[in-house]
PDB file of all heavy atoms in Angstrom:
ATOM      1  N   ILE R 874     100.262  55.519  88.599  1.00 94.00           N
ATOM      2  CA  ILE R 874      99.756  54.578  87.631  1.00 94.00           C
ATOM      3  C   ILE R 874      98.588  55.231  86.829  1.00 94.00           C
ATOM      4  O   ILE R 874      97.602  55.809  87.371  1.00 94.00           O
ATOM      5  CB  ILE R 874      99.255  53.292  88.301  1.00 94.00           C
ATOM      6  CG1 ILE R 874     100.434  52.491  88.928  1.00 94.00           C
ATOM      7  CG2 ILE R 874      98.456  52.408  87.224  1.00 94.00           C
ATOM      8  CD1 ILE R 874     100.036  51.262  89.543  1.00 94.00           C
ATOM      9  N   GLN R 953     100.403  37.647  78.186  1.00 88.00           N
ATOM     10  CA  GLN R 953      99.645  36.797  77.256  1.00 88.00           C
ATOM     11  C   GLN R 953      98.141  36.478  77.849  1.00 88.00           C
ATOM     12  O   GLN R 953      98.030  36.252  79.054  1.00 88.00           O
ATOM     13  CB  GLN R 953     100.405  35.467  77.104  1.00 88.00           C
ATOM     14  CG  GLN R 953     101.631  35.419  76.277  1.00 88.00           C
ATOM     15  CD  GLN R 953     102.127  34.142  75.940  1.00 88.00           C
ATOM     16  OE1 GLN R 953     102.689  33.437  76.890  1.00 88.00           O
ATOM     17  NE2 GLN R 953     102.047  33.633  74.788  1.00 88.00           N
ATOM     18  N   TYR R 976     111.545  42.872  69.932  1.00 98.00           N
ATOM     19  CA  TYR R 976     111.697  44.165  70.611  1.00 98.00           C
ATOM     20  C   TYR R 976     112.534  43.951  71.792  1.00 98.00           C
ATOM     21  O   TYR R 976     112.185  43.264  72.766  1.00 98.00           O
ATOM     22  CB  TYR R 976     110.356  44.765  70.998  1.00 98.00           C
ATOM     23  CG  TYR R 976     109.393  44.856  69.854  1.00 98.00           C
ATOM     24  CD1 TYR R 976     108.494  43.894  69.581  1.00 98.00           C
ATOM     25  CD2 TYR R 976     109.268  45.989  69.050  1.00 98.00           C
ATOM     26  CE1 TYR R 976     107.558  43.938  68.464  1.00 98.00           C
ATOM     27  CE2 TYR R 976     108.298  46.184  67.990  1.00 98.00           C
ATOM     28  CZ  TYR R 976     107.461  45.079  67.766  1.00 98.00           C
ATOM     29  OH  TYR R 976     106.579  45.274  66.803  1.00 98.00           O
TER      30      TYR R 976
END
Side-chain angles (χ1 to χ4, degrees):
I874 292 181
Q953 283 185 294
Y976 303 91

